[in-house]
């Protein structure tokens, strides 16, 4: 007993307080509203990605209709516990090592990070999509590139494209120094 309450009750009370704090908000954002978690590229990295694409792949559009190139998804519709475990606001590095395009509906690069893991089969940054195509298309695009599907052009990025970004939620939590529009 401690002050009239058992140690078990005190421990349970402490767990409930922490769980309530983590379960209610991340920054100013209620966890229930998190659509996805991601590494949001800083503006210099976004510029580097678009410049690399237009310089090294001048015959492949890079702007099919809707241009992205701003994040690598960590997890879509993450459970509260997954968001609570992320180090939101942390700066991390990504390396772009493979590009792919079907020249009509989807373009992107496959990336790797030693610091954070995407739950996608192929961690990536979607560069652009055609009309009516969702940016999730890059998952399928990269699967086809790895199977050497003749409908997809792809190649190595050598040397690897060095990118940087910040781990955050969408909608954005405000914990990253440089907010990136998504």
């Amino acid at each position: 007993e401690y002050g009239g309450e058992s140690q078990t009750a005190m421990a349970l009370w402490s767990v409930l307080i922490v769980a309530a704090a983590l379960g209610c908000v991340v920054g100013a954002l209620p966890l229930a509203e998190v659509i996805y978690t991601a590494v949001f590229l800083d503006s210099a990295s976004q510029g580097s990605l678009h410049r690399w694409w237009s310089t090294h792949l001048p015959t492949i559009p890079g702007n099919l209709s809707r241009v992205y190139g701003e994040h690598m998804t960590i997890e879509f519709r993450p459970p509260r516990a997954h968001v609570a475990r992320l180090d939101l606001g942390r700066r991390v590095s990504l390396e772009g090592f493979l590009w792919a395009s079907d020249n009509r509906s989807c373009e992107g690069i496959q990336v790797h990070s030693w610091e954070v893991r995407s739950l996608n089969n192929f961690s990536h940054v979607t560069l652009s999509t055609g009309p009516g195509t969702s940016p999730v298309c890059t998952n399928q695009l990269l699967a086809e590139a790895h199977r050497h599907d003749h409908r997809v052009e792809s190649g190595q990025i050598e040397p690897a494209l060095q990118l940087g970004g910040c781990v955050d939620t969408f909608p954005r939590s405000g914990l990253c120094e440089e907010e990136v529009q998504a």
Side-chain angles (χ1 to χ4, degrees), residues 157-178:
I157 299 174
E158 295 177 1
L161 186 58
Q162 302 300 310
L163 305 169
C166 184
V167 176
D168 205 354
T169 59
F170 184 84
R172 302 301 295 277
S173 71
L175 294 174
C176 290
E177 293 172 12
E178 178 185 354

Side-chain angles (χ1 to χ4, degrees), residues 84-133:
R85 282 195 298 262
L86 280 177
D87 190 3
L88 298 179
R90 179 179 176 203
R91 301 270 315 149
V92 298
S93 299
L94 303 174
E95 293 182 349
F97 63 91
L98 180 84
W99 65 270
S101 173
D102 66 7
N103 287 307
R104 59 179 164 65
S105 65
C106 193
E107 297 176 322
I109 66 167
Q110 188 170 356
V111 296
H112 172 75
S113 174
W114 294 103
E115 301 163 87
V116 66
R117 187 175 79 82
S118 170
L119 294 184
N120 284 318
N121 287 335
F122 301 102
S123 53
H124 65 272
V125 176
T126 300
L127 187 69
S128 71
T129 63
T133 302

Side-chain angles (χ1 to χ4, degrees), residues 30-170:
L31 288 179
E33 296 177 16
V34 173
I35 297 169
Y36 61 86
T37 55
V39 173
F40 290 89
L41 300 182
D42 56 44
S43 57
S45 293
Q46 288 184 47
S48 293
L49 172 57
H50 289 284
R51 277 190 304 281
W52 181 90
W53 192 278
S54 63
T55 302
H56 292 84
L57 306 170
T59 61
I60 298 177
N63 61 351
L64 295 172
S65 173
R66 171 120 183 170
V67 176
Y68 298 95
E70 81 278 338
H71 76 272
M72 176 200 78
T73 301
I74 296 171
E75 186 174 11
F76 183 72
R77 299 248 184 251
R80 290 176 183 234
H82 292 194
V83 177
R85 282 195 298 262
L86 280 177
D87 190 3
L88 298 179
R90 179 179 176 203
R91 301 270 315 149
V92 298
S93 299
L94 303 174
E95 293 182 349
F97 63 91
L98 180 84
W99 65 270
S101 173
D102 66 7
N103 287 307
R104 59 179 164 65
S105 65
C106 193
E107 297 176 322
I109 66 167
Q110 188 170 356
V111 296
H112 172 75
S113 174
W114 294 103
E115 301 163 87
V116 66
R117 187 175 79 82
S118 170
L119 294 184
N120 284 318
N121 287 335
F122 301 102
S123 53
H124 65 272
V125 176
T126 300
L127 187 69
S128 71
T129 63
T133 302
S134 165
V136 73
C137 68
T138 310
N139 288 309
Q140 182 64 32
L141 179 75
L142 289 168
E144 292 168 357
H146 284 281
R147 285 194 311 266
H148 305 288
D149 188 307
H150 71 279
R151 297 169 294 181
V152 174
E153 290 186 66
S154 64
Q156 297 296 313
I157 299 174
E158 295 177 1
L161 186 58
Q162 302 300 310
L163 305 169
C166 184
V167 176
D168 205 354
T169 59
F170 184 84

